[in-house]
Amino acid sequence: IAKSLMNRSGFITVDFKKLSEEQQDFTGYKCEIVYSDGNDNVLERHRYHDTDFPLDELRLFFVNNTLMLPSEY
């Protein structure tokens, strides 16, 4: 998905976040992945009803067709 957004921004952050129980009750989703340009401009948002991802949140960077961890950027 991030690669398909490169025409809108050369720098993309990919933020995975498990939603709080209150947010889950309100939205019906357990987690979301938000793709943005790094300046809080959301390019795309995907929500999921279930996840087995072990972390509560994670940020990745997609630059020059490379997906990087924060420590790599």
Side-chain angles (χ1 to χ4, degrees):
I1 293 172
K3 189 168 185 166
S4 69
L5 298 171
M6 290 301 291
N7 63 337
R8 294 171 62 188
S9 177
F11 177 87
I12 296 174
T13 60
V14 182
D15 293 301
F16 172 87
K17 181 182 175 185
K18 285 186 182 175
L19 302 177
S20 69
E21 295 219 10
E22 182 179 296
Q23 289 173 311
Q24 289 179 28
D25 291 341
F26 182 75
T27 64
Y29 295 100
K30 289 193 176 183
C31 70
E32 68 181 3
I33 300 176
V34 178
Y35 301 87
S36 71
D37 66 357
N39 292 317
D40 295 325
N41 296 314
V42 174
L43 304 172
E44 202 161 316
R45 180 185 313 264
H46 294 260
R47 291 186 172 149
Y48 299 92
H49 291 286
D50 203 11
T51 181
D52 60 357
F53 193 71
L55 302 175
D56 288 335
E57 58 183 42
L58 174 68
R59 172 170 274 188
L60 300 172
F61 301 101
F62 190 74
V63 184
N64 297 327
N65 289 324
T66 304
L67 188 63
M68 296 180 273
L69 295 164
S71 61
E72 297 174 310
Y73 179 69

